[in-house]
Structure formats: structure tokens, C-alpha cells
Amino acid sequence: TSITSAKIQVNGVHLHYQQTGEGSHAVLLLPGMLGSGQTDFGPQLKSMNKQLFTVVAWDPRGYGKSIPPSRDFPPDFFERDAKDAVDLMQALKFKKFSLLGWSDGGITALIAAAKYPNLIHKLVVWGANASVTQEDVRIYNGIRDVSKWSEKVRKPLEELYGHKYFAETCEAWVDGISRFAENSDGNICQQLLPDIKCPTFIIHGEKDPLVPQAHAEYIHKHIKGSRLLLMPEGKHNLHLRFAKDFNREVENFLR
């Protein structure tokens, strides 16, 4: 089945998305910081079961091909992304759908599942966190300068954005997410986790250098009935590096 690309107007911006499959179970893929459907979810768009699922991967506003506007990071940027994501799926006429969120997209998915419970069928998050600690801020500052990134990770984003937008947006992201550390308990969305009622699957790579495992354990503990899978060799991009295993686990959970 081919992958179609299109834009649709949602909340005053033109959001870009890719769509594939003709299954009755709609699934939205939510990318990480600076990510897009194209850069973050190649193996999922290509290989997820297209008879069972209709797979949509979106570019949040200011990312990927959802520019303009330029990306910014007001205090409520995760809530804004959550509303955009849900409204995008409704604009595409999906009444109920599941969310697969990676990293920042995982945070967005947690907020969406808590705030729009009637619309969300199931939830999968990996590399996500519900708070920001001082240790996290130290990790984020370690990736602030994109010229120090490995070429493999840097190159597709440089090609997508050009060096200037990529470098400046990464710095703005570090500043934006680090602000949560000033909240009590570094809270992003901790108070919303008990409101998540849909079946939830949390995956975490034990070798994730960006998100310490305690974050996954916290989310698991505070979402009633959720399931946690630890992947011993998984890093932050476990869905790309171990795409076959990841897709199989996720499809089994979504069935």
C-alpha cells in the first residue's frame, strides 16, 4: 500500500501528515523533538500491518513540513501539540484512534489520552517522561550544540531544515523543556497520568542515554493497569534500531 502525503488546516495552521493502510483501527504516530513522520517513523509507515491498521504520522506545527509557522516553545507547547494531534485526527474523520508517541511525542500522547479519553482507544509511549529533573537538564544541555551530534542523526534533520533552523530550534527546545525543571517536582504532566483510562503500553530502552529508566517506571506506576516492557539493548531510538521486534510487540498490544 502506498503512503500518501497531504496537508490539512487545523487550529489555524496547515499540518502535514502521511497516511497508509486501510485497516479499521486508526493509529497516530507522534514524533520526537524536531521530528517528522518521514524522519522518525520510516519502519512503522512501511511495515505495520496495513490490513489491520490505518497509520497516520504527523509533523507537529513548526516541524517537518508543518512550517510555517516556525517552531516555538511556550509553557503549554505539549498541550498545544496534544490538541493539534487530536483535532488533526478528527479533521481526518477518525472517530476513535490509538496513539503511538516517541519521546516528546510520548509526552504529547500522555496529555492527549488524559484530556480526550473518549477519543483514544489505546496508548503506546516510549522514551517519554512526565517530569524534568536537574539530571535531565544536564542531559539536554549535552545535546544543545547540534554540531556535536553524530552525523547519522544530524544529517537527515539538516537536510530537512537547513543548518540554521535546525541548530536554533534545538537550542530553543533545550530552553523550553528545561523550564519544566522550575516547576514543583519538575512537573510536565504527572497530575494527568491517573486520568488515563485506556490500555497503555510503556516501552523503554535500558540503554537510553536521553531518558533515564526511572521516568518509564514512574509513568507505569501512575497509569493504572499499564504494562511496561524493558528492552535490554534498546536506546532512545529503539523503534528504529529494533523495528521488527518493536512493531511486533506494538501490533500484538493494539489487536
Side-chain angles (χ1 to χ4, degrees):
T1 314
S2 64
I3 298 169
T4 58
S5 289
K7 281 189 166 187
I8 189 165
Q9 188 164 350
V10 176
N11 299 327
V13 293
H14 289 91
L15 294 175
H16 177 261
Y17 66 95
Q18 292 169 286
Q19 184 173 328
T20 186
E22 58 271 334
S24 58
H25 188 156
V27 174
L28 177 65
L29 307 175
L30 298 95
M33 171 263 276
L34 278 161
S36 64
Q38 171 196 339
T39 54
D40 287 14
F41 295 117
Q44 284 68 48
L45 285 163
K46 187 176 166 216
S47 303
M48 277 185 76
N49 186 317
K50 300 187 181 193
Q51 279 67 56
L52 288 178
F53 304 108
T54 296
V55 181
V56 179
W58 80 309
D59 299 357
R61 62 170 74 200
Y63 284 165
K65 294 179 182 166
S66 295
I67 303 172
S70 292
R71 182 70 181 186
D72 62 348
F73 299 94
D76 67 342
F77 73 91
F78 284 118
E79 281 82 5
R80 182 180 67 184
D81 283 350
K83 184 171 180 6
D84 282 349
V86 165
D87 291 351
L88 166 77
M89 291 300 276
Q90 295 208 287
L92 295 176
K93 304 284 187 271
F94 295 110
K95 289 187 173 60
K96 204 164 180 175
F97 44 92
S98 292
L99 300 174
L100 270 64
W102 177 37
S103 200
D104 269 21
I107 300 171
T108 301
L110 291 168
I111 292 169
K115 288 193 159 182
Y116 310 97
N118 300 334
L119 301 176
I120 310 306
H121 184 41
K122 292 186 177 184
L123 172 65
V124 183
V125 296
W126 65 105
N129 44 305
S131 65
V132 174
T133 66
Q134 289 305 323
E135 166 67 2
D136 296 326
V137 173
R138 192 187 63 72
I139 294 170
Y140 302 148
N141 277 305
I143 63 165
R144 177 185 287 275
D145 179 355
V146 297
S147 68
K148 293 179 179 156
W149 290 24
S150 76
E151 192 188 359
K152 192 178 164 210
V153 178
R154 189 179 72 232
K155 209 174 163 201
L157 292 167
E158 258 177 1
E159 283 170 3
L160 181 60
Y161 293 117
H163 179 77
K164 186 171 185 281
Y165 187 91
F166 171 42
E168 287 174 358
T169 307
C170 182
E171 288 203 23
W173 175 84
V174 172
D175 293 339
I177 195 149
S178 297
R179 266 183 232 118
F180 290 104
E182 295 159 19
N183 296 344
S184 76
D185 292 337
N187 179 49
I188 303 175
C189 62
Q190 290 171 317
Q191 76 290 354
L192 292 176
L193 299 181
D195 296 342
I196 296 174
K197 302 290 189 254
C198 65
T200 301
F201 186 20
I202 302 137
I203 305 173
H204 195 76
E206 291 188 43
K207 293 184 175 174
D208 190 331
L210 291 175
V211 180
Q213 191 170 311
H215 285 301
E217 288 165 353
Y218 182 95
I219 294 167
H220 173 48
K221 187 179 164 191
H222 290 87
I223 299 178
K224 202 176 170 197
S226 64
R227 185 179 149 212
L228 174 63
L229 172 69
L230 297 175
M231 292 178 70
E233 294 303 312
K235 293 186 179 176
H236 196 58
N237 65 345
L238 56 87
H239 66 297
L240 303 175
R241 174 84 176 68
F242 300 105
K244 210 170 164 182
D245 294 345
F246 175 87
N247 288 358
R248 186 185 65 243
E249 290 283 354
V250 167
E251 288 186 0
N252 288 339
F253 171 75
L254 292 174
R255 278 171 199 270

